[in-house]
């Protein structure tokens, strides 16, 4: 059974930082693209960032404030979020796919349960 478990969410004031983690277990993820998505209240889930396990290539919806990285020894992907804004408030999900374009469209093979991020002004 494949499992993705997110952690690191919480409440922070605008301008603050959080680092989210996504721990993968159950399979070898060397061939998977790993991504972060978010869903704000009343909105559809949207792509945030993605990273390949072996190539280390990264992709972002927007550049500058967020950084995705991974630790292959721990099978963990991170999302460092800086200069947070109230509009970043959402449930953040980790997902994986064997194809970048499928992942980018939100069609992940596996999903985590999500972690809440709340940014107050």
């Amino acid at each position: 059974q494949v499992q993705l478990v997110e952690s690191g969410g919480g409440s922070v004031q605008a301008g603050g930082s959080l680092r989210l983690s996504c721990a993968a277990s159950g399979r070898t993820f060397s061939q998977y693209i790993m991504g972060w998505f978010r869903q704000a209240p009343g909105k559809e889930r949207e792509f945030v960032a993605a990273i390949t396990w072996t190539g280390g290539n990264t992709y972002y919806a927007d550049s500058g404030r967020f950084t995705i990285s991974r630790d292959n020894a721990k099978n963990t992907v991170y999302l460092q979020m800086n200069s947070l804004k109230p509009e970043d408030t959402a449930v953040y999900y980790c997902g994986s796919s064997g194809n970048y374009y499928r992942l980018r469209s939100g069609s992940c093979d596996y999903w985590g349960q999500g972690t809440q991020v709340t940014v107050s002004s």
Side-chain angles (χ1 to χ4, degrees):
Q1 183 68 28
V2 172
Q3 286 190 329
L4 299 176
V5 180
E6 301 99 333
S7 61
S11 297
V12 64
Q13 289 191 330
S17 299
L18 283 173
R19 189 178 79 156
L20 306 183
S21 300
C22 173
S25 62
R27 295 191 67 163
T28 301
F29 278 86
S30 60
Q31 73 272 37
Y32 280 84
I33 311 291
M34 301 296 296
W36 285 98
F37 299 78
R38 66 186 183 184
Q39 187 168 20
K43 295 186 177 181
E44 293 189 353
R45 185 154 49 190
E46 63 178 2
F47 170 82
V48 175
I51 188 169
T52 57
W53 276 111
T54 55
N57 293 320
T58 57
Y59 310 88
Y60 296 94
D62 295 300
S63 62
R65 297 187 297 120
F66 295 177
T67 303
I68 190 170
S69 61
R70 88 274 194 225
D71 183 337
N72 289 348
K74 297 181 178 180
N75 263 10
T76 300
V77 176
Y78 304 98
L79 185 69
Q80 178 67 42
M81 304 187 295
N82 298 327
S83 301
L84 283 163
K85 304 176 181 179
E87 51 264 43
D88 294 319
T89 294
V91 178
Y92 283 72
Y93 296 91
C94 175
S96 67
S97 175
N99 179 276
Y100 169 71
Y101 296 102
R102 284 208 314 267
L103 180 139
R104 186 66 186 253
S105 71
S107 297
C108 291
D109 299 321
Y110 305 105
W111 290 100
Q113 82 289 351
T115 185
Q116 177 70 47
V117 171
T118 302
V119 184
S120 58
S121 57

